[in-house]
Amino acid sequence: MRNLFTLFLASLILFSCQKTTTTPSVILINGKIWTGEGADTFVKAIAISGDTIFQIGDSELISSLAGPETEIIDLQGKLVTAGFNDAHIHFLGGSMGLTQVELSSAKTFTEMERMTMDFIQANPEKDWITGRGWQYTFFESGLPDHETMKFLNLEKPVLIKAYDGHSAYANPKALELAGITKDTEFSGFGELVKDKNGNPTGALKEDAMGLVGKLVPEASFEDKLNSLRKGLAYAASLGITSVQNASGSEEDLRLFQTLHQNGDLTLRYAAAFSVNKNSTPEQLDRFTFLKDSVGTSNPWLRADAIKFMIDGVIEGHTGAMLEPYSDIPSTDPLALGQLNYPLDRYQELVKIMDAKGFRLYTHAIGDRGVREVLNAYEKALSENQSKGKRHRVEHIETIHPDDIPRFAQLGVLPSMEPIHAEPGTTVVWSNAVGEGRLPYSFAWRSLLDQKAELVFSSDWPACISLNPIRGIHIAVNRRNPEGYPDGGWIPQEKISIFEAMKAYTYMGAYSSFEENKKGLLKPGYLADLVVFSQDIFTIDPIKIHEVEVLMTWVGGKKVFEKQ
């Protein structure tokens, strides 16, 4: 009994010392603050000390902690949550795209044409016109060609990628500069698309994009830094406080280290290094050195992930499928899609990088692609006797029902982008998949029901919107912002607003082993949070897309405020 009393007294003394020696730098009161721990875990106020959450509770209690220098913000009932963690993004590419043709907001071919020509006229100094964002649904065949894109028959080379980055259109001038003619052959992952007469159409798939892309002038290190600063401001305006890159090189890491050293970094960055079938032992050792050099102690930077790509995309018939695509002949060379690796080489690399202590991401969109990744992970985990590695499968746009339970069984995380399932953009996709496989499309509900740990992201710039709120709208409604279609597209795969918010906050932190310091609003956690214009938890779900970010805080500092 005496020991209990002594412990109680010590606790009182410790609390008293904390109260008298720590003064919050910022206090937010009179709000609805979602801690993230459950579907209904809310408090009224939060106190921040430095870069960390000091205390949460009711407004009266938290207000009493204020000192003479404390900034007090009255939320007037506004909702606050942990910041969004975009767990699959290509941040440099997205940021560079902010200074190029950007078509992700175009809803029609006519709008795409106008936006492209407006950009060209506004940037006469550019030697090359580059960009991305067109949708496959703009074209009857699913792909652009010189006839549909004749407005780009210019004396200036043009290379514009699809919104997903897996296909592109090159105008006649670009093909000319690349030396691409009727006689040009391409072998490998992807396709140099030709018409029935054997003439190049201008459409390029996957690695064939490099035939033209290699000619585009490389931006300087400083140009990339300037683009990243624009990308950081854009991300902050959308409430994004952490990102996990889903591809990259040593230079990508150096760019973000430079931003951090200069005090310009306004979100937390996790690097991933791209590995392919031709990666050398020396390159793998270099990635390991970088991982160990960066470590995990700095909450702003980490470099402990590897990115593979096992297949392509549904729209280009390069996603690897268990059964033939539904919209092309079964004799077509792409009837079953393509694997980007010999399987034995992929399995070898997975085993090597698992043993080196990396978290693994693998792009897998077709149902066969998903299965082969799960098989490779299972093999590596068994042979390396690895546990709790939190490896991920990226995208999982279609999946065989037999593979859905395997995520939880193996401890592998499904990492998915709800924005890719926005109705109205999936017509070409649906035709390729066919009616029989549609029930297993973007199967968020089915995966959660089988106890999988679902992680959400955008895949920016390979998406029509970076905005997490728009992605959450799709996840909850399976309808686009205009309300199409009535009842939702494959509505049985809808998830709740709580599940969607968790997948876009806490689960991102969990996937990178940071769940004990971010992704929740609790004492001791990093003060990364967002203030919203409306209560996303109680608003009519079909109006979720209308919610806006009013303020974004990262590490206790306000990095965005809506004017």
Side-chain angles (χ1 to χ4, degrees):
M1 191 70 179
R2 181 177 298 174
N3 288 340
L4 286 174
F5 178 78
T6 303
L7 182 61
F8 175 70
L9 184 61
S11 299
L12 284 177
I13 293 171
L14 178 61
F15 177 77
S16 176
C17 289
Q18 288 179 333
K19 186 173 181 180
T20 56
T21 60
T22 302
T23 301
S25 48
V26 180
I27 284 177
L28 289 79
I29 60 172
N30 299 326
K32 181 180 180 181
I33 298 170
W34 182 54
T35 69
E37 296 173 280
D40 195 31
T41 53
F42 296 95
V43 295
K44 297 289 187 182
I46 186 168
I48 297 168
S49 178
D51 68 349
T52 306
I53 297 170
F54 174 59
Q55 190 57 274
I56 60 174
D58 64 60
S59 295
E60 184 177 358
L61 170 65
I62 299 303
S63 295
S64 70
L65 304 175
E69 303 299 321
T70 302
E71 178 185 6
I72 299 178
I73 298 174
D74 188 340
L75 294 168
Q76 299 180 341
K78 293 292 190 296
L79 175 72
V80 177
T81 76
F84 292 123
N85 187 326
D86 193 318
H88 181 120
I89 198 168
H90 307 274
F91 202 85
L92 177 59
S95 298
M96 294 294 291
L98 296 175
T99 60
Q100 300 171 350
V101 178
E102 212 296 299
L103 301 171
S104 63
S105 63
K107 297 178 182 178
T108 65
F109 176 89
T110 301
E111 193 173 2
M112 177 200 74
E113 179 180 356
R114 177 185 57 75
M115 293 169 68
T116 304
M117 294 309 297
D118 285 350
F119 179 89
I120 292 172
Q121 292 168 12
N123 295 273
E125 78 287 356
K126 288 187 177 290
D127 296 326
W128 274 79
I129 302 300
T130 57
R132 70 190 297 156
W134 54 261
Q135 295 185 33
Y136 297 92
T137 52
F138 292 166
F139 309 98
E140 185 176 352
S141 69
L143 286 171
D145 57 31
H146 292 324
E147 179 59 28
T148 55
M149 302 289 275
K150 58 187 176 184
F151 69 94
L152 289 178
N153 190 2
L154 312 170
E155 281 304 307
K156 185 173 286 193
V158 178
L159 180 66
I160 302 179
K161 294 182 179 181
Y163 81 94
D164 61 6
H166 287 265
S167 302
Y169 172 74
N171 75 339
K173 186 64 176 180
L175 294 185
E176 176 190 330
L177 292 174
I180 295 174
T181 68
K182 185 175 184 177
D183 298 325
T184 304
E185 298 293 335
F186 174 80
S187 61
F189 183 59
E191 182 183 5
L192 169 61
V193 181
K194 296 182 179 182
D195 63 22
K196 62 183 179 181
N197 297 316
N199 296 308
T201 66
L204 306 163
K205 297 181 184 179
E206 306 293 355
D207 290 352
M209 294 186 291
L211 297 172
V212 175
K214 64 185 179 182
L215 302 179
V216 178
E218 175 76 7
S220 69
F221 193 84
E222 191 59 39
D223 286 340
K224 291 177 181 178
L225 284 175
N226 288 332
S227 292
L228 284 171
R229 292 184 182 101
K230 294 180 181 178
L232 291 171
Y234 183 38
S237 74
L238 299 174
I240 298 170
T241 58
S242 289
V243 296
Q244 297 179 52
N245 226 44
S247 61
S249 63
E250 183 171 345
E251 186 190 46
D252 291 74
L253 176 61
R254 299 299 180 212
L255 286 164
F256 280 87
Q257 287 177 320
T258 301
L259 289 168
H260 180 48
Q261 291 163 5
N262 293 343
D264 293 336
L265 197 54
T266 54
L267 50 68
R268 306 184 192 280
Y269 177 79
F273 302 112
S274 298
V275 169
N276 59 50
K277 61 188 176 185
N278 298 317
S279 295
T280 65
E282 292 75 20
Q283 289 172 324
L284 303 184
D285 287 343
R286 179 62 180 174
F287 294 152
T288 305
F289 170 79
L290 293 170
K291 169 177 68 72
D292 296 339
S293 299
V294 173
T296 58
S297 61
N298 185 341
W300 289 96
L301 294 165
R302 60 195 298 123
D304 59 344
I306 292 293
K307 169 69 181 300
F308 302 105
M309 195 171 90
I310 194 68
D311 68 354
V313 295
I314 300 296
E315 295 90 340
H317 302 111
T318 52
M321 306 298 283
L322 294 167
E323 300 291 339
Y325 281 102
S326 298
D327 62 341
I328 57 176
S330 60
T331 55
D332 190 288
L334 291 178
L336 291 170
Q338 290 180 301
L339 290 173
N340 194 25
Y341 281 83
L343 283 177
D344 56 350
R345 176 59 172 159
Y346 171 66
Q347 291 172 356
E348 175 190 28
L349 287 167
V350 165
K351 182 179 179 181
I352 290 171
M353 303 318 285
D354 171 78
K356 289 180 179 290
F358 283 94
R359 297 179 298 116
L360 306 182
Y361 309 158
T362 305
H363 165 122
I365 280 181
D367 52 11
R368 185 190 175 195
V370 174
R371 178 168 292 180
E372 297 296 356
V373 176
L374 291 171
N375 289 345
Y377 286 174
E378 184 173 22
K379 186 173 186 290
L381 292 171
S382 173
E383 294 178 358
N384 289 339
Q385 296 186 338
S386 299
K387 293 183 179 179
K389 301 300 285 288
R390 301 183 190 175
H391 298 327
R392 297 178 2 190
V393 185
E394 309 299 307
H395 309 310
I396 319 169
E397 294 187 3
T398 184
I399 184 173
H400 192 282
D402 291 350
D403 291 319
I404 292 174
R406 297 181 66 193
F407 283 86
Q409 292 165 3
L410 296 173
V412 172
L413 310 185
S415 172
M416 304 174 75
E417 295 80 30
I419 194 65
H420 284 174
E422 181 167 304
T425 68
T426 58
V427 176
V428 173
W429 190 98
S430 298
N431 291 339
V433 167
E435 289 292 330
R437 284 177 289 214
L438 277 183
Y440 310 108
S441 303
F442 302 91
W444 314 313
R445 175 80 273 144
S446 296
L447 285 159
L448 285 173
D449 287 347
Q450 291 293 326
K451 310 303 180 185
E453 302 280 13
L454 181 63
V455 182
F456 271 171
S457 57
S458 69
D459 199 18
W460 189 60
C463 60
I464 59 171
S465 176
L466 173 61
N467 191 351
I469 293 171
R470 186 160 169 179
I472 289 166
H473 175 96
I474 304 304
V476 173
N477 293 290
R478 304 285 291 210
R479 298 166 71 183
N480 68 14
E482 289 73 40
Y484 170 82
D486 291 342
W489 181 64
I490 316 175
Q492 65 269 26
E493 292 298 339
K494 294 178 184 179
I495 64 176
S496 71
I497 183 63
F498 161 67
E499 291 165 328
M501 288 292 291
K502 179 181 177 182
Y504 235 126
T505 54
Y506 175 79
M507 288 311 305
Y510 177 85
S511 75
S512 57
F513 293 92
E514 296 175 280
E515 72 272 20
N516 291 323
K517 60 184 176 184
K518 67 181 184 181
L520 301 175
L521 299 184
K522 294 174 57 179
Y525 276 61
L526 292 166
D528 302 347
L529 50 91
V530 182
V531 181
F532 296 97
S533 62
Q534 300 181 71
D535 185 349
I536 202 167
F537 289 96
T538 60
I539 194 174
D540 180 351
I542 202 61
K543 295 183 178 181
I544 287 174
H545 69 94
E546 298 177 359
V547 176
E548 296 181 312
V549 170
L550 299 182
M551 285 187 280
T552 303
W553 299 71
V554 181
K557 294 183 179 180
K558 190 190 301 178
V559 297
F560 169 76
E561 183 169 11
K562 187 174 179 61
Q563 300 301 317

